Amino acid sequence: QVHLVESGGGLGQPGGSLRLSCAASGSIFSISTMAWYRQAPGKQRELVAVISTTDGSTNYVDSVKGRFTISRDAAKNTVYLQMNSLKPEDTAVYYCNAQGMYFYWGRGTQVTVSS
């Protein structure tokens, strides 16, 4: 079992920055990738960014490329999502995800981008 806890959401201004954190605990040795998803009201949950725990390779949805950065601190069992140049369309609940034998989800953190 893997337990994920997100933090760092809140209100951001257009053009501003926020950083999300996801702390993992439990059977973390089984995790092969960690990712951030988001779900805006009335829309399907979408993959935002993913990082491999094996080689650190990353991938992003086109809409956030060049603005968001996913990173991982293995010593702290924590994954981050640095979000820069925020846009109103980034408003969503952001979920941390870990994939090992199963998919594991955090409870989500709200990000609202508004002036």
Side-chain angles (χ1 to χ4, degrees):
Q1 188 73 14
V2 174
H3 187 55
L4 304 172
V5 178
E6 302 102 333
S7 61
L11 177 64
Q13 292 198 340
S17 299
L18 287 173
R19 189 176 81 155
L20 305 183
S21 300
C22 172
S25 60
S27 302
I28 55 177
F29 60 89
S30 68
I31 298 172
S32 57
T33 62
M34 294 194 71
W36 288 95
Y37 286 73
R38 66 185 179 187
Q39 188 167 18
K43 295 187 177 181
Q44 290 187 331
R45 190 174 297 190
E46 68 169 348
L47 175 63
V48 176
V50 60
I51 186 167
S52 166
T53 60
T54 303
D55 61 10
S57 59
T58 60
N59 205 356
Y60 300 88
V61 67
D62 285 346
S63 60
V64 308
K65 284 182 180 178
R67 300 190 298 122
F68 290 10
T69 302
I70 188 170
S71 61
R72 175 174 170 259
D73 185 331
K76 295 182 178 179
N77 298 321
T78 299
V79 172
Y80 304 96
L81 185 67
Q82 178 67 42
M83 304 186 293
N84 298 329
S85 302
L86 287 167
K87 300 178 180 181
E89 50 263 44
D90 294 321
T91 295
V93 178
Y94 283 71
Y95 296 91
C96 181
N97 167 270
Q99 183 176 1
M101 292 183 63
Y102 307 100
F103 263 57
Y104 302 97
W105 295 96
R107 301 184 71 171
T109 184
Q110 176 71 47
V111 171
T112 302
V113 182
S114 175
S115 55

